[in-house]
Amino acid sequence: MTKTICITGATAGFGEAMARRFAREGWRVIITGRRRERLEALAGELAPAPVHAAAFDVQSRQAVEAFVAGLPAEFAAVDVLVNNAGLALGLDPAQSADLDQWETMVDTNIKGTLFMTRALVPGMVGRGRGHVVTLGSIAGTYPYPGANVYGATKAFVRQFALNLRADLHGTGVRVTNIEPGMAETEFSLVRFSGDEGRAGSVYQGMQPLVADDIAELVHYAVSLPPHVNVNRLEVMPVAQSFGPFPVARQS
Ligand code: NDP
Ligand code: 8X3
């Protein structure tokens, strides 16, 4: 039986790689994001695979509900939802960070995930099967300077995914939070407002994760037998690890 996956944020990075991966594996793929022309180009590239493209902003509850209500019949029974759309904005310390950027991260990473999940999970419960995959981050577990609200949104996503598992107990619906470290996508370009030099320097001289690595992990978690639930999957490039806690000393 052909399965259906709905991927938010499929116009770039992880989501785009997932769309390619699942289409190649014969899935019905729903691709979403705000940039309509990118969605159309990707749908064209994936043809004749069954693809439904929908351009909308996950920050809007009304837009999410209209998207779900408007799904064509053959795409309406979503087996897997990947809450991937998200972003980091800025790296300034909390005391000088831009409040609008904070609000956008909360509205996208937290509210977008909530709206999508609440809209699609009842159908999964009704069918007695399904899988919600969320994109957390190592920033949701480990603090670093300037991660303030971005990291906090990803901590929310991690705990929401775990709590969702508790609520879905006995329904057959699975929940997995994928928690990557540094991966080279458009992530840093977005974080630094299009500054290519600053974005490029993040990955200079090291081997970051790439979008296909994350698509592989999502495919792995989703393809395991239905009695297996991967709760959390934390992954980093080998070149990224941990450091000592900084100590402010009096000179
Ligand atoms: P990209 O910037 O490459 O892709 C982000 C995607 O999210 C785009 O398709 C973008 O589409 C979509 N998006 C952003 N805002 C909205 C919105 N308001 N409504 C709908 N879609 C939106 O980033 P990544 O692929 O790297 O990131 C994907 C996810 O993984 C994010 O949640 C990110 O926080 C997380 N992550 C990334 C890591 C990294 O190092 N790259 C590491 C850990 C987690 P469009 O602009 O067309 O709307
Ligand atoms: C993105 C990973 O390390 O840039 O979520 O915060 S990191």
Side-chain angles (χ1 to χ4, degrees):
M1 191 188 66
T2 306
K3 287 191 172 176
T4 302
I5 186 167
C6 173
I7 304 164
T8 65
T11 58
F14 300 167
E16 189 178 348
M18 286 177 223
R20 291 204 174 94
R21 177 67 197 261
F22 280 87
R24 206 165 60 229
E25 301 282 343
W27 287 58
R28 244 185 242 110
V29 183
I30 302 168
I31 52 174
T32 79
R34 289 165 301 179
R35 287 170 286 182
R36 184 181 302 278
E37 64 293 348
R38 287 214 188 181
L39 291 172
E40 284 166 1
L42 184 58
E45 178 198 314
L46 298 179
V51 175
H52 173 66
F56 66 93
D57 188 331
V58 295
Q59 296 175 88
S60 162
R61 181 171 164 178
Q62 288 73 21
V64 169
E65 288 170 355
F67 154 71
V68 173
L71 281 171
E74 64 273 31
F75 289 90
V78 173
D79 296 286
V80 177
L81 163 65
V82 187
N83 283 309
N84 167 74
L87 76 181
L89 292 172
L91 201 56
D92 291 335
Q95 57 273 28
S96 58
D98 183 326
L99 204 49
D100 289 338
Q101 293 191 330
W102 280 9
E103 218 173 346
T104 303
M105 288 188 277
V106 167
D107 287 350
T108 309
N109 303 354
I110 295 181
K111 288 193 187 172
T113 293
L114 298 183
F115 297 153
M116 289 297 299
T117 303
R118 188 61 185 78
L120 287 172
V121 156
M124 294 181 185
V125 172
R127 290 184 292 277
R129 65 188 159 79
H131 198 151
V132 178
V133 178
T134 46
L135 258 296
S137 166
I138 58 160
T141 302
Y142 311 106
Y144 64 83
N148 42 63
V149 167
Y150 176 66
T153 65
K154 294 303 186 178
F156 179 99
V157 168
R158 185 189 67 237
Q159 198 62 23
F160 177 65
L162 292 172
N163 283 335
L164 191 59
R165 270 225 77 205
D167 287 354
L168 293 172
H169 180 78
T171 65
V173 180
R174 303 189 288 185
V175 185
T176 300
N177 191 42
I178 309 276
E179 303 169 14
M182 294 169 77
E184 189 164 12
T185 59
E186 293 181 7
F187 177 83
S188 290
L189 200 59
V190 171
R191 174 171 241 172
F192 299 125
S193 308
D195 183 335
E196 290 182 6
R198 197 169 173 203
S201 69
V202 172
Y203 311 106
Q204 206 165 9
M206 57 85 67
Q207 171 67 64
L209 299 171
V210 295
D212 283 340
D213 298 328
I214 306 307
E216 178 69 27
L217 293 176
V218 172
H219 186 263
Y220 163 75
V222 160
S223 306
L224 287 166
H227 67 282
V228 182
N229 192 98
V230 177
N231 297 338
R232 297 173 54 201
L233 223 167
E234 182 182 295
V235 56
M236 292 161 91
V238 173
Q240 184 183 31
S241 66
F242 308 99
F245 290 120
V247 177
R249 300 184 193 279
Q250 291 170 348
S251 49

